Amino acid sequence: MPDYDFRAPRLFVDAPLQAGETATLDRNQSNYLGNVLRLKAGDTILVFNGRDGEWQAELSGRKRADTLTIHRQTRPQDRLPDIAYVFAPLKHARLDYMVQKAVEMGASRLQPVLTRFTQVSRVNGERMRANVIEAAEQCGITALAEVADPVPLERFLAGRAGDRLLVFCDEAADLSDPLQALQRGTATEGIDVLIGPEGGFAEEERALLLRQPRILRLSLGPRILRADTAGVAALTLVQAALGDWRPKG
């Protein structure tokens, strides 16, 4: 990883970033910078918008800091690996955790899918996006993962590109070395990492999954993992074997 100032306050702003441009902060951002971080006019922070890289910006405002002046680029825009995290939604705090960890692990798309045993039928997309932004702010990420609307599992499978690798994490799979299994695969057209609900997949869903092209059925070890834990474990394995954790060259 290149040199990075982890102590500098960092903020997402939904505005074009270019030297000399200004951006207006919303009330929550202004309150956070002024009342929580105790920053004032003249102080500098790092900002990003998911498109133009990361920039140093100076705060300005009278009663509170409510405007940014963009100075210089500190890092160019990077690209996330083409990894979609496909998951059965969980309840509130555990869904927040799962979204944040998927972003930290480098997922570029978050796709909720509804299965027979999914415990949550409604997903708050705005809350998911807020968690994506918060994780990116805290972890120095310049690109934002896309948040997709929830769809039934069958519809997702029918619409996905068949040349993408589907990593199907299945507690019923034979126990084997998951890292070795992934290292034997290729993923030039992208990867979909599928984590099911707490109750597992129904037999008809498992049968449908096993008929998909370019599928890799993966065991995550000898113990049953909770869905949020399984997501972190699966993304770790995928990134180590096929993603951008591998040395380049």
Side-chain angles (χ1 to χ4, degrees):
M1 173 179 284
D3 291 338
Y4 179 71
D5 185 0
F6 288 98
R7 295 172 296 178
R10 194 166 183 273
L11 200 66
F12 169 80
V13 293
D14 190 11
L17 299 178
Q18 187 175 345
E21 295 288 334
T22 60
T24 301
L25 299 172
D26 64 35
R27 182 175 294 273
N28 289 335
Q29 291 174 321
S30 182
N31 178 69
Y32 172 70
L33 294 174
N35 297 331
V36 178
L37 298 184
R38 302 295 183 184
L39 299 178
K40 58 188 183 302
D43 289 334
T44 60
I45 64 171
L46 299 176
V47 296
F48 70 105
N49 62 6
R51 306 181 299 274
D52 300 322
E54 180 186 80
W55 294 73
Q56 185 188 69
E58 181 178 335
L59 300 174
S60 59
R62 291 187 177 182
K63 292 184 178 180
R64 67 177 188 271
D66 55 14
T67 305
L68 296 170
T69 301
I70 312 302
H71 285 329
R72 64 180 182 86
Q73 190 179 60
T74 53
R75 288 191 295 156
Q77 182 64 40
D78 64 5
R79 292 182 59 187
L80 295 169
D82 189 2
I83 298 175
Y85 181 54
V86 186
F87 61 95
L90 301 172
K91 294 180 180 179
H92 301 303
R94 292 182 58 212
L95 178 60
D96 292 346
Y97 170 88
M98 190 167 68
V99 169
Q100 292 164 4
K101 298 311 161 190
V103 171
E104 292 176 36
M105 300 295 291
S108 59
R109 179 179 172 88
L110 306 179
Q111 174 64 71
V113 291
L114 305 177
T115 70
R116 180 176 173 185
F117 299 131
T118 297
Q119 298 177 358
V120 177
S121 59
R122 294 178 180 236
V123 179
N124 187 331
E126 290 186 6
R127 180 166 175 160
M128 281 183 60
R129 179 167 171 78
N131 276 291
V132 168
I133 290 172
E134 181 180 351
E137 286 177 336
Q138 294 178 353
C139 297
I141 299 168
T142 63
L144 292 180
E146 176 187 353
V147 176
D149 292 331
V151 295
L153 176 63
E154 294 83 357
R155 188 188 305 172
F156 166 74
L157 293 175
R160 65 181 294 273
D163 52 358
R164 293 176 63 85
L165 177 65
L166 177 61
V167 178
F168 164 35
C169 299
D170 184 9
E171 68 274 8
D174 292 336
L175 187 63
S176 60
D177 184 339
L179 185 58
Q180 186 178 74
L182 283 165
Q183 288 172 334
R184 289 197 298 264
T186 58
T188 56
E189 302 302 324
I191 308 171
D192 297 327
V193 179
L194 175 61
I195 301 292
E198 294 290 304
F201 291 102
E203 284 307 312
E204 62 270 22
E205 293 171 334
R206 183 175 284 106
L208 178 62
L209 285 163
L210 293 176
R211 292 197 297 269
Q212 298 301 304
R214 300 221 58 222
I215 186 169
L216 179 58
R217 189 182 184 197
L218 206 64
S219 165
L220 294 177
R223 289 166 292 279
I224 300 297
L225 303 179
R226 293 178 67 164
D228 45 352
T229 308
V232 174
L235 288 169
T236 300
L237 289 165
V238 168
Q239 282 284 42
L242 298 171
D244 63 2
W245 288 16
R246 298 175 300 164
K248 295 181 180 180

